[in-house]
Amino acid sequence: MTYKITVIEGDGIGPEITRQAVSVLQKAAGLCGFSVKITKALLGGEAIDQTENPLPEETIEICKASDAVFLGAVGGPKWDGLPGNMRPEAGLLKLRSSLELFANLRPAVAYPALRAASPLKDELLKDGLDLLVVRELTGGIYFGERGRRHVNGEEAAFDTEEYLESEIRRVSKVAFELAEKRSGRLCSVDKANVLESSRLWRETVTALSKEYPEVLLSHMYVDNAAMQLIRNPGQFDVIVTNNMFGDILSDESAIITGSLGMLPSASLGGTQLGLYEPVHGSAPDIAGKDMANPIAAILSVAMMLKYSLGEPAAAGMIEKAVEHALLSGARTPDIAKAGEAASGTREMGERIVKELDLA
Ligand code: IPM
Ligand code: MG
């Protein structure tokens, strides 16, 4: 079996973490008896520099012709001055919507070996942490009408939050199905005490819950959810929420585990094709310094094997290898204790590859 994988290295630390993720993918493929054919594509700042377009048409075509897409990260100060629709981030948003990837899975797992790296008190994480944020990814305020106008002679700007019932239903369905396979608890996060779009969100999720009698559904306002995540993260299993709230809460849940550098993500739609990217950004301040943590990228490869390629054994091997590397003391600077020796991006990747060999 040969899988067609599109690899977008992107900007900032994107290329260096992608290199490690690809070598882990190739190692796992060799061990599990399949192969991968990699095609590179451009997105974000790199694409702007080479084609003056953050998402060249060719990239969409290459992605559509593949089994899965891996992305490092996009963006950086170099492109910050560009108009909104020409920025690297616009390319990423457009790629997600062109591929109709409406459900973004962002798992936050606290590794026992990294307990000290979490900003939360020990007692809050003593039972571990394993939660999953399901973020709506192709609708809401990130895609609504926006613009500038003049109001009473002064400059004004607006963005619009709008959801179709069908958009809410399809992402909630994904969340219910995942909750069914996990602990059976699903918390839907909204701002239904203020926003009409959130009231529709809540009605739709509640109506859908009738089809999932095994899942215990709860609702929480987003401000409370942000607070509860640091007060008692263990109360959550699966969280489902809109595009913007999911963007914010997934960064928060990520840092609880110790570092943003640990969190993978999968963006799924109605087909096998998925987009896999670390939750962290392009971290321009440490780009090219061999300091970035490649684990989020490597775990994104594991998600790709599970959700798009149907190779759960290879995915499990990678997750185990990451765990073992951490247990054996491998640390990049973001997860090292003060004064502790740290590995670079490449060395961390190599240690994980070595653990795969030992498995
Ligand atoms: C994320 C990022 C992106 C988003 C940016 C880079 C457009 O913050 O994946 O969480 O807002 O979705
Ligand atoms: Mg984000």
Side-chain angles (χ1 to χ4, degrees), residues 106 135 142 246-248 250-251 279:
R106 298 188 161 188
R135 168 189 177 193
Y142 289 16
D247 188 17
I248 298 167
S250 60
D251 267 32
V279 170

Side-chain angles (χ1 to χ4, degrees), residues 68 157 166 212 236-237 243 287 327 338 342 344-346:
S166 56
Y212 298 90
F236 296 103
D237 183 33
N243 203 340
L327 280 174
T345 310
R346 207 179 62 206

Side-chain angles (χ1 to χ4, degrees), residues 100-106 133-138 170-172 174-175 178 266-269 275:
E100 293 178 80
L101 303 172
F102 56 81
N104 183 215
L105 278 45
R106 298 188 161 188
V133 176
V134 179
R135 168 189 177 193
E136 200 290 325
L137 202 60
T138 51
R170 64 184 183 180
V171 69
S172 304
V174 171
L178 289 161
S267 302
L268 310 174
L275 168 67

Side-chain angles (χ1 to χ4, degrees), residues 143-292:
F143 288 90
E145 199 190 330
R146 65 173 57 98
R148 295 282 180 114
R149 60 185 173 197
H150 280 90
V151 177
N152 299 331
E154 63 172 313
E155 184 85 359
F158 65 95
D159 299 274
T160 319
E161 170 87 348
E162 183 175 34
Y163 269 109
L164 301 175
E165 203 184 323
S166 56
E167 290 177 308
I168 303 169
R169 204 178 311 111
R170 64 184 183 180
V171 69
S172 304
K173 206 164 173 319
V174 171
F176 272 109
E177 274 159 23
L178 289 161
E180 239 174 7
K181 287 190 213 128
R182 294 168 53 109
S183 77
R185 282 177 297 130
L186 174 64
C187 180
S188 171
V189 172
D190 61 38
K191 187 70 186 174
N193 51 348
V194 178
L195 302 177
E196 199 53 42
S197 52
S198 277
R199 286 190 271 273
L200 179 64
W201 184 280
R202 195 176 279 222
E203 282 163 30
T204 308
V205 176
T206 304
L208 189 64
S209 70
K210 311 271 182 301
E211 293 173 30
Y212 298 90
E214 315 274 86
V215 176
L216 186 65
L217 172 68
S218 60
H219 301 275
M220 203 180 272
Y221 297 138
V222 63
D223 46 353
N224 186 27
M227 185 269 281
Q228 295 294 341
L229 265 173
I230 47 170
R231 198 187 73 104
N232 177 17
Q235 71 186 284
F236 296 103
D237 183 33
V238 181
I239 291 175
V240 63
T241 190
N242 72 18
N243 203 340
M244 181 161 67
F245 298 161
D247 188 17
I248 298 167
L249 294 181
S250 60
D251 267 32
E252 190 185 352
S253 59
I255 197 66
I256 293 172
T257 69
S259 169
L260 216 50
M262 299 288 298
L263 251 88
S265 86
S267 302
L268 310 174
T271 68
Q272 282 301 104
L273 174 63
L275 168 67
Y276 299 85
E277 51 176 321
V279 170
H280 63 68
S282 59
D285 51 321
I286 58 165
K289 295 188 179 155
D290 193 40
M291 279 172 73

